[in-house]
Amino acid sequence: MANEDNYQRIWKTAKLIPAGKVASYGQIADLSGLPGRARLVGKAMGYAPKDMQVPWFRVLRTSGQISFPKGSDMAAKQKGLLQEEGVVVLNNRVKMAEFQWQPDLAELLFSLEY
DNA sequence: ACCTTGACATTGG
DNA sequence: GCCAATGCCAAGG
């Protein structure tokens, strides 16, 4: 597909989110050099090959909300994975002020070679 | 001050 | 054209 390239960048960026921290779809899009493509990040998370170990569950809405509907299996699974690494999830939401990943930009430039 | 809801702009499968 | 793992803003509770 035409966006295979963008997916690679997105997956690469998402993999840099450390355990115990979270990021927003828009944040990952920006850091991947794809401003305004938050929705594409959502797709990318869903399409990420399992063997690539992309931490899709660490990506949330800007508000800290888990994107899946509150009662869904997916929401439950994501919540579980986050809690396993110490992220507090209340009412399907994470407190971004407390858990949002704040990448070191210089380090990021090096890792992603931009 | 902190949700929740709804409308809308936008992007890509 | 339809749908979606978004974001943003306005309005109301």
Side-chain angles (χ1 to χ4, degrees), chain A residues 24-113:
Chain A
S24 71
Y25 294 97
Q27 182 184 3
I28 296 304
D30 289 346
L31 294 175
S32 301
L34 301 167
R37 264 146 279 191
R39 294 185 91 119
L40 184 58
V41 173
K43 299 265 190 199
M45 293 302 100
Y47 297 152
K50 174 189 170 290
D51 57 307
M52 207 175 297
Q53 298 182 157
V54 176
W56 59 270
F57 57 90
R58 296 187 188 130
V59 188
L60 310 169
R61 285 200 171 227
T62 303
S63 60
Q65 281 276 151
I66 285 178
S67 232
F68 298 104
K70 186 166 184 201
S72 67
D73 283 356
M74 273 315 192
K77 171 184 275 184
Q78 186 165 10
K79 174 180 169 184
L81 289 167
L82 286 171
Q83 289 180 147
E84 277 178 42
E85 48 186 55
V87 176
V88 179
V89 183
L90 284 182
N91 230 344
N92 224 49
R93 182 180 54 225
V94 170
K95 243 184 176 175
M96 292 309 260
E98 186 173 355
F99 295 102
Q100 184 166 41
W101 174 43
Q102 255 123 44
D104 176 280
L105 294 186
E107 189 181 312
L108 205 66
L109 284 173
F110 183 77
S111 300
L112 301 176
E113 294 175 32

Side-chain angles (χ1 to χ4, degrees), chain A residues 3-20:
Chain A
N3 275 287
E4 185 61 36
D5 217 42
N6 290 338
Y7 284 152
Q8 291 297 335
R9 296 168 72 115
I10 290 168
W11 292 331
K12 201 170 171 183
T13 305
K15 288 192 65 167
L16 298 177
I17 308 171

